[in-house]
Amino acid sequence: MATTRTARTAWEGNLVDGKGQVTFASSGIGEYPVSWPARAEAPNGKTSPEELIAAAHSACFSMALSHGLTGAGTPPTTLDTQADVTFQPGTGITGIHLTVTGVVPGLDEAGFVKAAEDAKANCPVSQALTGTTITLTANLAG
């Protein structure tokens, strides 16, 4: 069964001086302020489209990696994933770097890296962002 999730943004004013409010309508988890300075300079307590993409990508990648590892018989104990989305004003999003550290009993470093590369290539958010360079650093913890 297909699902649809909805977010809304109400924007007031021009790009540089304006401001907006992103609402997570499907989940009802809240409203978050967004602005051009938060996107192109310092966040100052506001979010940006790139931070929202980073959140989606880190969550999707973690789910895909967990699923792949479990399917291979080595379910993870923990996965800690960070997504860094780089935005260059005037150019756009110039890249995404995923960093994952996992605790996966019974799996060696090479196997973990291979599983992480597969998750990077196949998670639905990665596939939706194919126009962007996505890089990965994957390591087993301790």
Side-chain angles (χ1 to χ4, degrees), residues 95-114:
I96 300 171
H97 186 73
L98 297 169
T99 304
V100 62
T101 302
V103 175
V104 186
L107 191 65
D108 64 10
E109 189 83 21
F112 183 68
V113 170
K114 183 179 182 308

Side-chain angles (χ1 to χ4, degrees), residues 1-141:
M1 177 201 299
T3 59
T4 300
R5 299 294 181 255
T6 304
R8 272 191 319 274
T9 299
W11 188 265
E12 297 174 4
N14 65 36
L15 174 63
V16 175
D17 301 317
K19 62 184 179 180
Q21 196 76 9
V22 176
T23 302
F24 290 91
S26 300
S27 63
I29 62 171
E31 296 180 348
Y32 300 89
V34 63
S35 70
W36 176 255
R39 185 177 198 183
E41 299 165 16
N44 293 321
K46 296 178 178 69
T47 193
S48 68
E50 291 72 29
E51 185 176 36
L52 297 170
I53 290 169
H57 205 176
S58 68
C60 184
F61 171 85
S62 294
M63 295 168 96
L65 181 53
S66 175
H67 180 68
L69 290 167
T70 300
T74 53
T77 302
T78 62
L79 298 171
D80 181 12
T81 304
Q82 178 172 313
D84 297 303
V85 178
T86 302
F87 174 75
Q88 177 64 49
T91 302
I93 294 173
T94 58
I96 300 171
H97 186 73
L98 297 169
T99 304
V100 62
T101 302
V103 175
V104 186
L107 191 65
D108 64 10
E109 189 83 21
F112 183 68
V113 170
K114 183 179 182 308
E117 287 287 351
D118 185 61
K120 177 183 77 114
N122 294 304
C123 91
V125 171
S126 288
Q127 291 178 344
L129 299 170
T130 56
T132 301
T133 300
I134 303 170
T135 56
L136 172 69
T137 300
N139 296 295
L140 286 174

